[in-house]
Amino acid sequence: MTMDRPDQRGRFGEYGGRFAPETLMPALAELEGAFEEARRDPSFRARLDGLLADYAGRPTPLYETERLSEELGIRVLLKREDLLHTGAHKINNTIGQGLLAQRMGKPRLIAETGAGQHGVATATAAALFGMECAVYMGTVDIERQALNVDRMEMLGATVIPVTSGAGTLKDAVSAAMRDWVATVAGTHYIIGSVVGPHPFPWIVREFQRVIGEETIAQLAGRVPDVVAACVGGGSNAMGMFYPFAGTGPDLVGVEAGGRGIASGEHGASLVAGTPGVLHGAFTYLLQDEEGQIREAHSVSAGLDYPGVGPEHSYFHDAGIARYVSVTDDEALGGLDLLARTEGIIPALEPAHVIAWLARERAELAGKTVVVCLSGRGDKDVEHVARIRGRK
Amino acid sequence: MSFPALFERTRAAGRAAFLPYLMAGLPGPDASVELFGALDEAGADGFEIGLPYADPLMDGPVIQAAGAAAIGAGTTIDVGLRVAGEVVARFGKPCAVMTYANPILRLGIDRFCGRAADAGVSALIVADLPVDEAAPFVAGAARRGIGMVLFAAPTTSDARLQAVVEAGPVFIYGVAEMGVTGERAAASEWAAGMAARVRAVTGLPLAFGVGIATPQAAAEAAAVADGVIVGTALVRRVLEAPNPAAAARSLREAGAAFAASMMRRPGASQPV
Ligand SMILES: Cc1ncc(COP(=O)(O)O)c(C=O)c1O
């Protein structure tokens, strides 16, 4: 059974909660209150829907592939979040939370970013609403997602490099939270996925569930066998899964297998992790015997995260969805496959899902699979070329 | 000695307790015990002993670096608690260990508290544990005779403060700055107002920490509190020292100046 909203303690089953510094607790309560009010306010909903349609480009198409379906022997439908303004599903959340920040009278937005897509989407919302914006980004990600750094700066945001830890997404989230502890009175932290302390996982899911709801409407009564999405923090997957849960399809989340689960260098928190606390929530994560968070690894910056949203942990334990992993090399193959059969260059994150279809083609033969194509690959073109030694 | 007994004594003496923080295992396990010794000589009343955590959300760059270095030097939870045990045994002053929720949950609250109690630790501070999540920690600690420390921040409402008091902490940690640990040039602009709000609802001891970096700032906090916690300003000295002996010298000097700033000035507001 899915939970319409987390319980009083902000938990999905045993997962979630609010393991946050006391300084932030009143702001989390304020945010929860503002969201409660906003979602019951028809004018808020109308403003959000209007911007999603006219500014972001919703609804996105549900496209039935021909050559890919033929190649794999699977009927593959793509939910084209890659066609949204700024190039990924992240904009669904940043427009929603940007409007919430406006309602709360907070003039400054901060965000963390891995792939840079959430940073770009936050910088975009800040420009749209006339707000100040700072984005925390690990130095490794600044390197491999350089295009998005330039985009954020062009949009008027300040990109703040994070050198601590491995210089990737986990460290960027920590740095953004530290900023927020100091600036909470005038700043809203737009967290980029269904992670963090309550109410963030719930709010982000509510802003992303439009993906699954639209898909169901577009299917017009047809029920797919499988609905699949990549899982970093898990926002595109939860946005897709939540409306589908309990309606029949097998829900499959694809995590970053990195250099292979056995190598220990991956981002597969649900496939290979254990429960603990990261960034304010009790959830599956990668940790050592001592409870120190392990560094994740993925070729894709957006999946290079050692935790996962608490609602996915709940889905995992309750058997509402199942989770698998795909390696870096397989994901690169997935990118090529979609590019060459369909003329669509996916981001490396959803390329993991295409790769999973290719790997499991025997098991999936003849089935109908809906894939959340969470973002487009422009940001990864240089990175992939470099990996392949062409640059 | 326990924290309640300590605060009773310092209140009677008309001063606040000086509670310095250092990271266990920095620069190495045995060397860190000696550094607590330097602060003992300087006049510390009790100690806050950091158990290193790699993703410390409430800490600025200095304590982040200290934690990373301590982990690099092999400071596991067991090693950190061994350091705490030696500090308790050698200096006979109350010790609180400070860490984050995940290392405790990983080991299990009961096992962690059991080991901490065996080491003689009197109190537990968990930086990412608000009162809303504290119940199992308070209960687990109490079973082992350890007191939980809970936070009040400048943003904490009176209703939340009431919940903090009702949860039964051994003392209240007043977060003296809007922000993570570090060194602020000025004295806390929040301490006096927060102290008044805390005193209005409870007689529990109140210690201020976060950002307090100079004897002057410590004196201002001491004027309204039962304890003053100084972390980054001391940890930075350890990180900057060329060797453990130099770190000890530096801590003795700085520690003495902080310890001397704990006397309440006549006319300053007194705790109830
Ligand atoms: C295109 C794309 N897909 C997926 C993700 C992973 O995030 P989530 O799991 O929250 O959808 C990212 C993150 O940056 C992304 O840019």
Side-chain angles (χ1 to χ4, degrees):
Chain A
M1 268 283 283
T2 57
M3 290 176 71
D4 173 42
R5 54 171 300 170
D7 69 17
Q8 282 295 319
R9 297 153 61 230
R11 303 261 182 157
F12 297 95
E14 64 179 305
Y15 300 105
R18 274 182 177 162
F19 293 86
E22 171 63 24
T23 308
L24 292 181
M25 295 299 286
L28 295 171
E30 179 195 9
L31 176 61
E32 184 176 6
F35 180 64
E36 291 277 11
E37 260 181 47
R39 68 195 206 114
R40 281 193 231 100
D41 176 355
S43 71
F44 179 85
R45 193 69 241 179
R47 180 100 204 278
L48 176 59
D49 288 345
L51 286 171
L52 288 178
D54 304 335
Y55 182 76
R58 301 215 73 90
T60 58
L62 180 66
Y63 163 67
E64 178 162 355
T65 63
E66 284 183 28
R67 295 191 58 230
L68 179 69
S69 293
E70 208 175 282
E71 168 87 19
L72 294 177
I74 307 166
R75 192 167 161 219
V76 183
L77 286 80
L78 302 176
K79 179 59 175 165
R80 299 290 308 273
E81 296 297 292
D82 61 316
L83 292 177
L84 281 172
H85 179 44
T86 70
H89 69 292
K90 300 288 182 184
I91 192 89
N92 301 326
N93 174 42
T94 61
I95 290 179
Q97 287 203 54
L99 286 173
L100 274 183
Q102 221 176 31
R103 247 179 121 85
M104 292 186 291
K106 298 202 170 180
R108 177 173 177 261
L109 300 177
I110 56 170
E112 83 295 340
T113 198
Q117 288 302 128
H118 175 59
V120 167
T122 303
T124 299
L128 177 64
F129 300 131
M131 294 174 178
E132 192 189 330
C133 181
V135 179
Y136 289 87
M137 187 170 192
T139 45
V140 168
D141 293 338
I142 285 178
E143 183 76 16
R144 61 179 161 174
Q145 309 277 227
L147 172 71
N148 278 343
V149 177
D150 292 339
R151 292 171 79 197
M152 286 183 268
E153 286 177 347
M154 220 171 262
L155 290 160
T158 307
V159 178
I160 304 174
V162 179
T163 53
S164 56
T168 55
L169 182 54
K170 175 196 67 154
D171 312 295
V173 176
S174 298
M177 285 200 170
R178 292 187 187 108
D179 177 313
W180 204 32
V181 173
T183 60
V184 63
T187 294
H188 177 59
Y189 175 22
I190 301 194
I191 211 162
S193 191
V194 287
V195 301
H198 175 67
F200 281 116
W202 175 50
I203 291 180
V204 178
R205 181 197 79 191
E206 289 297 303
F207 285 137
Q208 291 293 1
R209 62 189 280 182
V210 63
I211 303 173
E213 282 166 356
E214 257 177 38
T215 306
I216 288 171
Q218 288 163 327
L219 285 166
R222 290 173 294 166
V223 179
D225 299 296
V226 178
V227 173
C230 65
V231 179
S235 67
N236 87 89
M238 191 49 70
M240 190 63 151
F241 291 176
Y242 181 74
F244 273 104
T247 68
D250 197 10
L251 307 179
V252 180
V254 183
E255 295 194 304
R259 301 191 172 101
I261 299 297
S263 74
E265 296 179 43
H266 56 78
S269 326
L270 289 163
V271 167
T274 48
V277 169
L278 177 63
H279 294 145
F282 184 69
T283 190
Y284 278 86
L285 49 85
L286 305 178
Q287 59 182 330
D288 67 15
E289 291 303 312
E290 289 276 312
Q292 303 289 358
I293 308 303
R294 282 191 10 222
E295 300 299 348
H297 163 81
S298 172
V299 68
S300 126
L303 305 186
D304 194 347
Y305 183 66
V308 67
E311 194 169 11
H312 282 290
S313 294
Y314 174 67
F315 274 28
H316 172 271
D317 285 10
I320 297 169
R322 69 189 172 92
Y323 298 85
V324 299
S325 71
V326 156
T327 65
D328 288 349
D329 288 344
E330 288 172 320
L332 288 164
L335 183 146
D336 289 341
L337 178 61
L338 190 63
R340 289 174 196 179
T341 55
E342 294 291 340
I344 298 171
I345 301 173
L348 277 172
E349 291 81 13
H352 283 69
V353 188
I354 306 297
W356 176 74
L357 298 179
R359 189 179 75 200
E360 305 300 335
R361 61 206 290 174
E363 190 208 322
L364 296 169
K367 294 191 170 168
T368 299
V369 181
V370 173
V371 171
C372 184
L373 194 65
S374 55
R376 60 175 172 250
D378 308 31
K379 69 183 178 65
D380 294 314
V381 168
E382 245 193 80
H383 176 48
V384 171
R386 224 178 291 161
I387 289 170
R388 291 183 169 151
R390 289 197 210 114
K391 256 198 166 160
Chain B
M1 196 195 292
S2 69
F3 279 100
L6 168 65
F7 289 125
E8 204 174 306
R9 208 187 61 190
T10 53
R11 275 180 182 185
R15 67 181 182 90
F18 171 43
L19 304 171
Y21 167 101
L22 290 180
M23 184 65 75
L26 184 77
D30 295 336
S32 72
V33 175
E34 299 308 322
L35 296 183
F36 281 105
L39 290 166
D40 174 61
E41 286 172 36
D45 294 295
F47 301 105
E48 232 190 275
I49 302 178
L51 299 183
Y53 180 57
D55 295 275
L57 282 184
M58 238 334 258
D59 287 306
V62 170
I63 294 183
Q64 285 175 47
I71 291 170
T75 312
T76 58
I77 298 296
D78 278 343
V79 169
L81 288 175
R82 180 168 66 70
V83 168
E86 286 180 32
V87 170
V88 172
R90 278 190 41 196
F91 312 120
K93 292 175 175 173
C95 285
V97 292
M98 173 147 189
T99 188
Y100 284 78
N102 200 51
I104 298 174
L105 291 171
R106 181 67 166 157
L107 197 60
I109 292 173
D110 279 325
R111 276 168 70 196
F112 180 91
C113 291
R115 290 187 200 179
D118 290 345
V121 166
S122 337
L124 177 59
I125 308 176
V126 184
D128 55 350
L129 191 75
V131 64
D132 315 58
E133 302 286 353
F137 290 75
V138 174
R143 277 194 291 277
R144 300 301 186 147
I146 293 176
M148 208 54 214
V149 178
L150 297 175
F151 295 92
T155 49
T156 303
S157 65
D158 287 339
R160 286 188 62 79
L161 200 50
Q162 194 60 46
V164 167
V165 170
E166 280 165 17
V170 60
F171 66 86
I172 293 177
Y173 188 130
V175 181
E177 283 300 331
M178 286 300 295
V180 297
T181 58
E183 297 177 84
R184 309 298 191 280
S188 168
E189 58 179 290
W190 311 96
M194 285 173 67
R197 289 205 293 128
V198 171
R199 303 305 188 195
V201 295
T202 180
L204 277 169
L206 168 69
F208 279 114
V210 178
I212 299 171
T214 64
Q216 293 74 17
E220 300 233 355
V224 295
D226 300 290
V228 177
I229 297 160
V230 179
T232 302
L234 301 173
V235 172
R236 183 176 47 75
R237 287 171 178 261
V238 178
L239 288 171
E240 286 175 357
N243 56 57
R249 268 198 307 280
S250 175
L251 289 179
R252 261 192 296 271
E253 182 196 343
F258 282 112
S261 67
M262 295 295 109
M263 282 312 290
R264 289 217 175 80
R265 288 164 308 202
S269 67
Q270 297 292 311
V272 290

